[in-house]
């Protein structure tokens, strides 16, 4: 399992996986499981327009995993 899926603080969030364009994407990026999970939770909280301390912590975690992802 994962850091967020196992955390009761995130139990109310249904992660939104990345849509790479179907079952045979042209150029799928091979993200780590940890990064994919975090981004799925970020997509979900962004869809809910949530602003909270847990979202800030999630954002910080994602930036630590990929500092080049400055658009988070």
């Amino acid at each position: 399992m994962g850091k967020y899926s196992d955390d009761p603080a995130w139990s109310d969030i249904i992660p939104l996986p990345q849509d790479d364009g179907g079952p045979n994407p042209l150029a799928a990026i091979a993200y780590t499981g940890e990064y994919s999970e975090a981004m799925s939770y970020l997509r979900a909280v962004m869809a809910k327009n949530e602003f909270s301390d847990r979202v800030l912590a999630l954002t910080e975690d994602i930036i630590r995993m990929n500092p080049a992802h400055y658009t988070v």
Side-chain angles (χ1 to χ4, degrees):
M1 291 297 198
K3 178 178 181 175
Y4 296 97
S5 61
D6 292 339
D7 187 340
W10 291 94
S11 64
D12 63 316
I13 300 296
I14 298 170
L16 297 174
Q18 180 168 326
D19 179 6
D20 284 329
N24 299 310
L26 181 62
I29 299 172
Y31 296 114
T32 65
E34 180 183 30
Y35 185 78
S36 292
E37 180 193 35
M39 286 301 300
S40 292
Y41 278 84
L42 182 65
R43 280 187 218 81
V45 294
M46 288 175 70
K48 290 178 60 172
N49 205 29
E50 179 180 331
F51 300 94
S52 64
D53 288 340
R54 73 179 180 173
V55 174
L56 180 59
L58 171 62
T59 304
E60 291 171 351
D61 195 26
I62 291 169
I63 291 170
R64 282 190 191 98
M65 286 188 261
N66 183 2
H69 195 172
Y70 57 86
T71 58
V72 169

